[in-house]
Amino acid sequence: MFITKSAISRRTVLRGMGASLALPLLDAMVPALTPTALTAAAPTRRFGAVFVPMGERPSHWTPATSGAGFEFSPILKPIEAFRDSIVVVSNIDRPLQGTHAVSTGTWLTGCAPKRTEAEDFVAGKSLDQIVAETIGRDTVFPSLEIGTEDFTGYVGACDVGYSCAYMNTISWKTPTTPMPMETNPRVVFERLFGRPGSTEERARRRQQNRSILDSVKGDVTVLEKGLGGRDKARLDQYLEHVREIEQRIQRAERQAVSDLVLPRAPIGIPDSWEEHAGVMFDLMALAYEADVTRVFSFMLNREASQLVFPDLGFNEPWHHVSHHGNEPEKLALLVKLNTWQIGLFGKFLERMKNTPDGDGSLLDHSVILWGSGMSDSNTHSPIDVPYLQVGKGGGLFTGNRHIVAPKGTQLADVMLTVAQKFGAELDTFGVGKSALAM
């Protein structure tokens, strides 16, 4: 028997037009007769965290039954198709009663932030940054931090007794180093694919009706000659994903510059929040697929958000509706919004599930958190905050479970468990002192 197969390097890139385009994992990157565990096809674990402000309606969020095969609640119903990858944990609390700033500042750090309206803010190192130290070292970006609402203009005090720093991000490199959240999908795309330059240079490039893919056609042609049928199909799918996102961003930019009324958002940010969030989710899936990062944190919206959602019947700012005063109409609107957002998240999960990765899919090898720092938004309640986890992390977790934690369990205890599963050598995390059996 003659074995002649040689493997393409996992770090192969396509170059052109000043861009370097990373490739997804292909069969041709795996040497012949090499055990999977010793190759590029071994599970590459990934982590993501999605923060939702102003809670989830507890009555419509928490599943009515626990254990395996639990009954999905109305808000979670849109993602029931991913049951085998889902873990819901209920009966967990966050530290401190009170404000929007505490909700954001505690969620991914597990600690009670220092009460200050000045620049001497102190929180804690966030879970995403801890995980990035264990799985993100070999990637171009150890982590990515994104959002949909621009926080750069918020300084000083944004909540009674608390600095804006606590509301402007969910990611902290150190207890005193908050990580800025990038809101412009064009900037994120150019970071991912190495298109540096000034604002003027980027604007000139936007006038060129060429995709970066057009400039790497030569490399693609050469590469395809050595690929099998499955690899060719996978490469075509990946390149199509890149082109689709780039075209969506370009369409949003053309719409913005052609509008007679100048948009408040900078060029590159779609006018539609749904489109904006969807593009950001797609960019994170693409970043995973290209292995340019393995960790992201996504602030879906800012606490006390003033967004309106007229298509859902939201004609008043979200923050105002969140203080519902038990008015049935406002409660119904919040349930509708929460359910719609989970449906949007489901599109991201579907993309992950349908993207091959080694011997499984991106979803198989990832752990994505979805949650909030409060439960009932009317009182900013820190009791029984929502926690949803999707993905098995390449064998780290088992899905199809609703875990009712013992009374007094902290959200930080759950996140300590996640950190330890990803290899972090921690005995405590924020106020968390004991990992939860998951």
Side-chain angles (χ1 to χ4, degrees):
M1 178 174 64
F2 295 93
I3 303 298
T4 59
K5 177 184 174 184
S6 59
I8 297 174
S9 169
R10 180 69 179 95
R11 302 202 178 268
T12 299
V13 296
L14 306 177
R15 301 185 183 278
M17 197 174 149
S20 295
L21 182 60
L23 291 172
L25 177 64
L26 303 174
D27 291 341
M29 294 173 178
V30 181
L33 300 184
T34 304
T36 298
L38 302 179
T39 72
T44 298
R45 295 188 170 99
R46 301 169 177 85
F47 173 83
V50 185
F51 173 82
V52 186
M54 295 174 281
E56 307 274 2
R57 289 305 309 143
S59 59
H60 289 69
W61 168 271
T62 306
T65 59
S66 61
F70 65 94
E71 180 182 348
F72 272 63
S73 62
I75 292 176
L76 294 173
K77 199 70 175 176
I79 57 172
E80 188 171 6
F82 306 99
R83 170 188 288 276
D84 289 344
S85 299
I86 288 176
V87 178
V88 179
V89 184
S90 60
N91 204 32
I92 53 177
D93 308 332
R94 71 139 207 260
L96 293 181
Q97 174 68 43
T99 69
H100 290 287
V102 171
S103 172
T104 309
T106 64
W107 186 65
L108 212 54
T109 66
C111 74
K114 177 183 177 181
R115 188 179 178 92
T116 178
E117 296 184 359
E119 295 181 357
D120 58 335
F121 46 78
V122 180
K125 188 170 186 175
S126 55
L127 178 62
D128 62 312
Q129 295 303 303
I130 291 171
V131 173
E133 289 186 351
T134 66
I135 68 172
R137 295 174 180 174
D138 294 331
T139 56
V140 177
F141 301 103
S143 66
L144 289 174
E145 298 75 35
I146 60 172
T148 62
E149 295 186 64
D150 188 4
F151 321 126
T152 55
Y154 294 90
V155 295
C158 284
D159 209 343
V160 178
Y162 288 94
S163 165
C164 290
Y166 300 126
M167 288 180 64
N168 289 353
T169 185
I170 55 174
S171 180
W172 291 73
K173 186 72 173 177
T174 72
T176 57
T177 310
M179 302 288 283
M181 315 298 284
E182 178 56 61
T183 63
N184 191 323
R186 185 78 193 192
V187 173
V188 175
F189 186 88
E190 293 187 354
R191 285 182 64 194
L192 291 175
F193 298 109
R195 303 181 72 190
S198 66
T199 301
E200 292 75 20
E201 288 169 336
R202 289 197 298 268
R204 284 196 297 271
R205 283 200 295 266
R206 284 197 295 269
Q207 299 306 313
Q208 301 171 358
N209 292 321
R210 293 180 58 196
S211 163
I212 62 171
L213 299 179
D214 294 333
S215 67
V216 297
K217 283 182 178 178
D219 275 3
V220 171
T221 300
V222 173
L223 179 63
E224 285 183 331
K225 291 180 179 178
L227 299 180
R230 192 166 78 151
D231 275 349
K232 286 182 180 179
R234 188 174 296 176
L235 180 62
D236 288 344
Q237 180 191 45
Y238 171 70
L239 296 177
E240 184 57 34
H241 286 166
V242 176
R243 187 181 294 279
E244 176 190 352
I245 292 176
E246 187 171 39
Q247 289 174 344
R248 289 173 65 185
I249 294 171
Q250 289 172 343
R251 285 198 299 270
E253 290 174 338
R254 286 197 297 270
Q255 181 181 6
V257 298
S258 63
D259 199 327
L260 293 177
V261 179
L262 291 178
R264 290 176 298 173
I267 296 296
I269 297 181
D271 291 332
S272 161
W273 180 85
E274 180 180 9
E275 174 72 7
H276 190 177
V279 170
M280 287 302 212
F281 272 129
D282 282 350
L283 284 169
M284 293 306 96
L286 185 61
Y288 276 175
E289 190 176 0
D291 201 32
V292 293
T293 194
R294 295 172 187 168
V295 177
F296 78 82
S297 56
F298 187 3
M299 198 179 216
L300 198 66
N301 292 100
R302 190 178 192 272
E303 281 286 355
S305 174
Q306 298 299 308
L307 285 181
V308 295
F309 304 91
D311 291 345
L312 300 179
F314 260 78
N315 296 314
E316 295 180 280
W318 184 1
H319 183 214
H320 177 74
V321 177
S322 76
H323 289 285
H324 50 76
N326 291 319
E327 296 178 26
E329 183 179 353
K330 289 182 178 179
L331 289 170
L333 285 175
L334 290 172
V335 171
K336 184 183 291 188
L337 175 61
N338 293 158
T339 307
W340 177 66
Q341 289 174 324
I342 283 289
L344 184 64
F345 182 49
K347 294 179 181 178
F348 169 66
L349 299 178
E350 185 69 25
R351 167 76 176 269
M352 297 269 286
K353 182 179 179 180
N354 292 336
T355 302
D357 184 62
D359 59 354
S361 70
L362 285 180
L363 186 59
D364 292 331
H365 300 151
S366 302
V367 173
I368 311 295
L369 309 187
W370 173 285
S372 182
M374 64 176 73
S375 52
D376 183 8
S377 57
N378 193 51
T379 60
H380 302 164
S381 174
I383 306 300
D384 197 12
V385 298
Y387 180 93
L388 167 68
Q389 181 178 302
V390 189
K392 300 177 182 179
L396 296 180
F397 293 95
T398 301
N400 191 23
R401 290 180 298 150
H402 170 210
I403 300 171
V404 180
K407 186 176 181 179
T409 300
Q410 291 290 312
L411 174 62
D413 293 326
V414 181
M415 294 194 173
L416 173 60
T417 305
V418 175
Q420 291 178 347
K421 291 274 191 177
F422 273 95
E425 297 181 356
L426 299 176
D427 295 322
T428 62
F429 175 71
V431 300
K433 306 301 181 184
S434 177
L436 180 69
M438 294 176 65

